[in-house]
């Protein structure tokens, strides 16, 4: 389990005191041992001082181990805290043994020195140890216990009264230490919240600046792309007005038609891109045969491939998939169109393979290929590696951007591999309907989800609302929280018992989704079903979720995948 920010901040605060504690303890111990030795207890004083030095060396080495990163998980840091408490308790016991020297030496001057020194050590440890109150408690209790015993059994005047006065002082300083510890923890929490807010502000600022830059770039590109066909149409119209030869007029009219078609294509591409960007692309997930799409693509693109002298091969497949047939068709048309466009010699092939749960469509060409450093760039708006002059005949550079965004909307993973001169392979993964149908009957699925209570924990308000709306459309009852505190408050507020928890991994509060689920299970039911979702795809997160027995879904989560997982948990 990852170290929480609060735990790390507290451990950092304790470890930052290592030099101060080391110097103060050893200096004070040396002076004290010298005085006790001078008063006739040399051997015991030397042994007592050696014990201090040995313990200080062990504590110093352990703190250095933490600072080197040897304690790199939440469990290991908690172990380090327990060791820290043990070492400080042993240090407190050593200082508490000063009571023996008071009793053995039996000198007023030694009594006064020892009382001042022991009270000073207990008071001075407040700032150094109250970040972790058990450590402070383990340090001062042996000191006060030893001081009370030595005063109670001493023969000095009023020593019994002084022993009784130590008790209220001890209670007062421990109470003060507890309050100081609480304030220290609150300060750590406040500092982390400030850091989080600053990071959020910085991210928001960067997002605004990036959006402004992209808007300006988009407007400049639109202006440039629109101006070319409009200017061409203007020139051709003027030329037609002045032309007298019919053949020349016919050629000019053909050129005019080409420019008008280019302008129409430009507007269509802009509108499609804007619709996707605004999140207005409707989806209609359904079960259908992939054969129909593959057959349409073969009929539409074979003439283009034949015209260029390319081989064109399309696998036939009768598997049933779960997707949006219209959007999936748009994805494959963009990819196949690009493959034919950038292949001059060789072939374009579409082949299909299946595993137990998914169908993979591969579009492979023998075209010019793409350098590895440009593989991410080609999915950006208006990126055309071979069209620096913005020839409308080569498109607008929005095709692969549309592909990327439609894949994200549908929740279909994709992959692109390519090498210059060797061609390109685009792979798309689509869930098979067979697996879903074998495990979940659709009618029973909707019935099973009806009236179940789902607790949605997501710090992004828009995502929270979207998930709740989708679940309610399936007949679920939902409660929404943004972190563990709000979730626990809902559970303790007398609402209906939770059936399933749907929790994001990144909650932005120093506690991740797995830790949140763990706390909810500890408070409600250790068998409480839960699903973890995240926009991050890290092997470590998946392994942690698997170890905790929590299913993991990657954002953007396909509604069908979410419904399937909910039904399996029920």
């Amino acid at each position: 389990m990852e170290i929480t920010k609060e735990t790390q901040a507290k451990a950092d605060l304790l470890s930052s005191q290592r030099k101060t504690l080391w110097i103060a303890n050893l200096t004070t111990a040396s002076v004290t041992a010298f005085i006790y030795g001078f008063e006739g207890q040399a051997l015991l004083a030397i042994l007592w001082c050696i014990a201090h030095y040995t313990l200080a060396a062990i504590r110093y080495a352990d703190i250095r181990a933490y600072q080197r990163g040897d304690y790199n998980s939440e469990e290991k840091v908690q172990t380090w805290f327990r060791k820290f408490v043990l070492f400080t308790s042993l240090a407190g016991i050593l200082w508490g043994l000063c009571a023996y020297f008071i009793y053995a030496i039996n000198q007023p001057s030694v009594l006064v020195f020892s009382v001042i020194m022991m009270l000073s050590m207990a008071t001075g440890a407040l700032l150094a140890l109250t970040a972790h109150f058990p450590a402070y408690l383990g340090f001062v209790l042996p000191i006060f216990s030893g001081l009370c015993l030595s005063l109670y059994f001493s023969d000095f005047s009023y020593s019994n009264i002084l022993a009784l006065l130590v008790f209220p002082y001890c209670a007062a300083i421990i109470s003060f230490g507890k309050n100081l510890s609480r304030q220290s923890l609150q300060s750590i929490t406040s500092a982390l919240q400030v850091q989080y807010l600053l990071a959020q502000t910085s991210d928001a600022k960067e997002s605004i600046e990036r959006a402004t830059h992209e808007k300006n770039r988009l407007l400049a590109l639109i202006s440039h792309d629109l101006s070319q066909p409009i200017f061409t149409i203007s020139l051709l119209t003027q030329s037609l007005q002045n032309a007298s030869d019919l053949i020349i007029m016919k050629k000019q009219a053909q050129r005019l038609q080409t420019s008008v078609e280019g302008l129409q294509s430009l507007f269509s591409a802009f509108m499609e891109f804007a619709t996707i960007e605004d999140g207005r692309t409707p989806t209609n997930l359904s079960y259908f045969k992939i054969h129909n799409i593959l057959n349409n693509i073969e009929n539409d693109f074979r003439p283009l491939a034949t015209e260029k002298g390319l081989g064109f091969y399309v696998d036939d497949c009768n598997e049933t998939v779960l997707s949006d047939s219209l959007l999936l068709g748009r994805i494959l048309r963009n990819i196949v169109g690009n493959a034919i466009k950038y292949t001059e010699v060789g072939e374009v092939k579409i082949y299909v393979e299946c595993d137990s749960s998914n169908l993979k469509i591969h579009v492979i060409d023998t075209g010019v290929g793409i350098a590895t450093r440009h593989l991410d760039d080609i999915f950006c708006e208006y990126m055309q590696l071979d069209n620096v002059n913005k020839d409308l005949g080569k498109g607008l550079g929005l095709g692969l951007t549309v592909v990327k965004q439609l894949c994200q909307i549908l929740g279909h993973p994709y992959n692109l591999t390519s090498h210059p001169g060797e061609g390109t392979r685009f792979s798309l993964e689509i869930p098979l309907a067979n697996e879903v149908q074998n495990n979940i009957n659709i009618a029973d699925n909707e019935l099973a989800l009806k009236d179940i209570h789902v607790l949605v924990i997501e710090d992004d308000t828009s995502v929270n609302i979207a998930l709740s709306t989708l679940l309610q459309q399936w007949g679920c009852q939902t409660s929404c929280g943004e972190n563990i505190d709000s979730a626990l408050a809902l559970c303790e507020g007398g609402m209906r018992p939770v059936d399933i928890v749907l929790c994001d991994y990144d909650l932005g509060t120093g506690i991740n989704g797995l830790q949140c689920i763990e706390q909810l299970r500890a408070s409600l039911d250790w068998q409480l079903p839960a699903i973890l979702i995240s926009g991050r795809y890290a092997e470590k997160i998946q392994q942690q979720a698997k170890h905790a027995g929590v299913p993991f879904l990657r954002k953007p989560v396909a509604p069908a995948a979410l419904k399937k997982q909910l039904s399996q948990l029920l």
Side-chain angles (χ1 to χ4, degrees):
M1 187 181 296
E2 293 182 356
I3 305 174
T4 62
K5 292 182 179 179
E6 288 86 350
T7 299
Q8 186 167 3
K10 186 167 68 171
D12 289 344
L13 184 59
L14 290 173
S15 65
S16 67
Q17 307 289 339
R18 61 185 175 87
K19 290 184 178 179
T20 304
L21 289 173
W22 192 70
I23 293 172
N25 268 283
L26 296 187
T27 302
T28 309
S30 300
V31 172
T32 303
F34 175 79
I35 293 174
Y36 290 157
F38 186 77
E39 293 293 338
Q41 296 291 324
L43 179 60
L44 290 178
I46 291 172
L47 293 175
W48 180 82
C49 190
I50 290 173
H52 264 293
Y53 272 82
T54 303
L55 181 59
I58 295 173
R59 295 175 67 189
Y60 187 86
D62 194 54
I63 290 175
R64 286 289 297 156
Y66 167 76
Q67 293 178 332
R68 285 196 309 268
D70 294 353
Y71 297 90
N72 53 9
S73 68
E74 180 72 19
E75 293 82 1
K76 290 182 179 180
V77 174
Q78 293 300 331
T79 300
W80 183 81
F81 279 139
R82 289 191 287 271
K83 291 169 67 177
F84 190 88
V85 172
L86 173 62
F87 294 147
T88 51
S89 298
L90 291 174
I93 291 172
L94 285 176
W95 286 111
L97 289 176
C98 290
Y100 170 79
F101 292 101
I102 296 174
Y103 179 78
I105 298 173
N106 199 28
Q107 292 289 335
S109 58
V110 172
L111 173 65
V112 172
F113 169 78
S114 299
V115 170
I116 293 174
M117 179 271 302
M118 295 172 76
L119 293 180
S120 298
M121 292 301 298
T123 306
L126 278 171
L127 295 177
L129 299 177
T130 48
H132 191 52
F133 185 68
Y136 179 71
L137 203 60
F139 182 73
V140 299
L141 284 180
I143 294 177
F144 284 119
S145 299
L147 184 57
C148 288
L149 289 173
S150 65
L151 290 173
Y152 183 79
F153 289 105
S154 294
D155 297 329
F156 302 109
S157 301
Y158 306 112
S159 61
N160 291 342
I161 297 176
L162 289 175
L164 293 175
L165 291 176
V166 168
F167 281 104
Y169 181 81
C170 174
I173 199 169
I174 289 176
S175 176
F176 182 72
K178 187 174 183 179
N179 291 332
L180 193 61
S181 176
R182 188 183 300 112
Q183 292 174 6
S184 176
L185 294 179
Q186 289 175 351
S187 298
I188 290 173
T189 303
S190 298
L192 291 174
Q193 290 175 346
V194 170
Q195 290 178 6
Y196 173 73
L197 291 174
L198 288 175
Q200 290 290 93
T201 303
S202 178
D203 290 344
K205 181 183 177 183
E206 290 179 4
S207 298
I208 292 172
E209 291 176 349
R210 189 162 51 249
T212 302
H213 173 74
E214 288 299 312
K215 180 195 71 174
N216 293 335
R217 187 174 69 88
L218 179 63
L219 290 175
L221 288 168
I222 290 175
S223 176
H224 178 268
D225 288 344
L226 285 175
S227 65
Q228 291 189 53
I230 291 175
F231 181 62
T232 302
I233 291 172
S234 175
L235 292 178
L236 290 173
T237 303
Q238 185 66 34
S239 177
L240 277 174
Q241 291 177 351
N242 298 328
S244 56
D245 188 281
L246 185 60
I247 297 177
I248 295 176
M249 291 178 65
K250 186 174 181 179
K251 290 181 178 179
Q252 298 289 57
Q254 290 175 344
R255 293 172 183 169
L256 181 62
Q257 179 64 27
T258 300
S259 295
V260 171
E261 290 175 354
L263 190 60
Q264 290 174 338
S265 174
L266 185 67
F267 274 114
S268 297
F270 282 146
M271 291 303 297
E272 180 182 39
F273 177 68
T275 300
I276 296 174
E277 281 287 289
D278 289 345
R280 292 184 282 112
T281 302
T283 57
N284 181 24
L285 294 178
S286 61
Y287 298 103
F288 58 88
K289 297 286 186 181
I290 194 65
H291 165 79
N292 298 330
I293 291 180
L294 295 176
N295 185 59
N296 291 337
I297 287 176
E298 182 176 16
N299 292 335
D300 292 344
F301 286 96
R302 182 172 293 282
L304 295 176
T306 302
E307 185 180 346
K308 293 188 69 174
L310 302 176
F312 190 64
Y313 308 97
V314 181
D315 274 356
D316 193 15
C317 179
N318 286 315
E319 294 287 350
T320 301
V321 297
L322 176 60
S323 183
D324 184 306
S325 59
L326 179 61
L327 299 185
L328 181 60
R330 285 163 67 180
I331 292 172
L332 292 175
R333 285 176 179 279
N334 270 306
I335 295 301
V336 175
N338 267 9
I340 293 175
K341 182 189 302 181
Y342 294 108
T343 302
E344 299 299 330
V345 178
E347 64 182 18
V348 174
K349 181 178 179 181
I350 304 174
Y351 83 91
V352 181
E353 63 177 353
C354 298
D355 57 26
S356 60
S357 58
N358 295 296
L359 179 141
K360 294 181 181 179
I361 299 178
H362 306 275
V363 180
I364 305 172
D365 65 60
T366 57
V368 295
I370 306 165
T372 303
R373 67 180 185 276
H374 292 311
L375 286 179
D376 291 331
D377 296 338
I378 64 170
F379 288 99
C380 297
E381 304 92 21
Y382 298 98
M383 177 56 69
Q384 293 176 293
L385 301 179
D386 70 331
N387 192 11
V388 295
N389 294 322
K390 292 295 178 183
D391 178 8
L392 286 178
K394 295 185 178 181
L396 305 171
L398 291 174
L400 290 180
T401 302
V402 170
V403 166
K404 175 183 176 181
Q405 293 174 334
L406 289 180
C407 286
Q408 291 175 342
I409 290 172
L410 294 174
H412 295 344
Y414 65 91
N415 184 51
L416 181 70
T417 57
S418 184
H419 299 283
E422 299 181 11
T424 302
R425 173 197 292 256
F426 180 89
S427 302
L428 181 65
E429 190 173 300
I430 311 163
L432 278 171
N434 292 338
E435 189 211 20
V436 180
Q437 290 171 334
N438 288 336
N439 290 284
I440 305 171
N441 180 277
I442 302 303
D444 292 342
N445 178 27
E446 293 181 356
L447 183 61
L449 295 180
K450 187 173 179 61
D451 292 331
I452 69 167
H453 186 195
V454 182
L455 176 58
V456 181
I457 307 174
E458 165 66 65
D459 63 331
D460 188 308
T461 305
S462 59
V463 177
N464 203 323
I465 294 173
L467 283 172
S468 299
T469 302
L470 179 64
L471 292 167
Q472 289 167 9
Q473 290 174 351
W474 293 342
C476 304
Q477 294 185 18
T478 61
S479 298
C480 301
E482 60 182 18
N483 51 44
I484 181 61
D485 294 331
S486 58
L488 287 173
L490 287 170
C491 295
E492 294 169 358
M495 68 176 187
R496 173 187 165 184
V498 175
D499 297 311
I500 293 180
V501 175
L502 181 61
C503 186
D504 185 32
Y505 182 82
D506 296 295
L507 298 177
T509 57
I511 179 172
N512 61 46
L514 281 175
Q515 294 167 335
C516 180
I517 291 170
E518 183 179 351
Q519 290 191 27
L520 284 172
R521 285 177 169 176
S523 300
L524 304 177
D525 180 3
W526 283 109
Q527 301 299 322
L528 180 64
I531 299 173
L532 183 70
I533 59 176
S534 176
R536 290 198 287 165
Y537 187 74
E539 184 71 21
K540 184 177 180 180
I541 297 176
Q542 279 191 301
Q543 291 299 325
Q544 290 174 348
K546 184 178 180 181
H547 180 72
V550 178
F552 175 80
L553 295 176
R554 183 186 177 190
K555 293 179 181 179
V557 181
L562 177 59
K563 180 181 283 189
K564 170 188 170 183
Q565 193 63 70
L566 288 169
S567 299
Q568 287 179 339
L569 288 177
L570 293 173

